Amino acid sequence: MKQENKKQKIRIPLDVISLLALLVLTFALLSAYPEKRDPVTAVFASYLLEMMLILPAVMVIMGLFSVFVSDKAVVKHLGHSSGMRGFFTALFFGSLPTGPLYVAFPMASAMLSKGARISNIVVFLSAWACIKMPQELVELQFLGLEFMVARLILTIIFVGLMGIIIEWVMDRATEKVSG
């Protein structure tokens, strides 16, 4: 318990130091390339506004998820014993939304803390990033059925492999840390 508190005390200053280093680097680059100030400022303002509009809704969804979805349900459908059902559940829920990927991170964190399997979280995040139902329809319209199906199948296969590999690496790292 004392080690966890000590790690948290160390983590916060590293986050602040990283943020400060990033700000210093940004100002240095903008000073070196003054012609890039306007596009950088415009993009920054656009993303900041987007995040200010989206994140409150995400926090509400996270609150509802924390209250109404039990740990037992997450473990049952996305936990270690969920098997292929967990894979397809994560794939389904990851492919439904059309929002930016940073919205999925708090959801993935909440699912992980409720007992979801790491590989299913990787599948959820990867599906959110590269398998979206509206995107599939656009691919079908402009690139054809053959391309859409081939890309979808390959993406699903590699997303699954990536989830398994990342979970294996995380398990090995956890074993090394714990002894």
Side-chain angles (χ1 to χ4, degrees), residues 4 7 21 26 36 43 48 58 63 71 82 94 104 111 123 132 142 158:
E4 283 185 25
K7 284 182 181 177
T26 302
K36 300 290 184 185
V43 169
L48 184 64
V58 171
D71 294 0
S82 62
M111 288 189 291
V123 169
K132 297 176 179 174
F142 291 107
F158 285 107

Side-chain angles (χ1 to χ4, degrees), residues 75-91:
V75 168
K76 179 181 176 187
H77 297 291
L78 294 169
H80 282 278
S81 61
S82 62
M84 289 304 289
R85 184 188 58 204
F87 171 81
F88 285 111
T89 301
L91 190 68

Side-chain angles (χ1 to χ4, degrees), residues 30-118:
L30 290 177
S31 297
Y33 302 99
E35 71 276 3
K36 300 290 184 185
R37 283 184 192 155
D38 288 340
V40 168
T41 306
V43 169
F44 173 75
S46 171
Y47 279 128
L48 184 64
L49 180 64
E50 179 184 297
M51 288 180 67
M52 288 173 54
L53 293 174
I54 291 176
L55 283 182
V58 171
M59 294 303 137
V60 169
I61 291 170
M62 294 309 306
L64 293 173
F65 179 79
S66 296
V67 171
F68 291 110
V69 178
S70 69
D71 294 0
K72 190 176 177 182
V74 172
V75 168
K76 179 181 176 187
H77 297 291
L78 294 169
H80 282 278
S81 61
S82 62
M84 289 304 289
R85 184 188 58 204
F87 171 81
F88 285 111
T89 301
L91 190 68
F92 176 75
F93 283 111
S95 64
L96 284 180
T98 58
L101 185 59
Y102 61 79
V103 172
F105 290 123
M107 292 180 184
S109 175
M111 288 189 291
L112 199 57
S113 68
K114 286 181 173 268
R117 188 177 173 177
I118 290 174

Side-chain angles (χ1 to χ4, degrees), residues 136 138-149:
E136 298 304 319
V138 170
E139 282 183 8
L140 176 65
Q141 182 179 3
F142 291 107
L143 302 170
L145 180 65
E146 189 175 322
F147 177 85
M148 183 197 83
V149 170

Side-chain angles (χ1 to χ4, degrees), residues 6 20 39 45 66-67 90 116 128 135 142 144 165 167-168 172 175:
K6 198 172 189 178
L20 290 175
S66 296
V67 171
W128 190 299
Q135 176 186 339
F142 291 107
I165 291 169
E167 185 174 77
W168 182 81
R172 297 301 167 269
E175 287 175 6

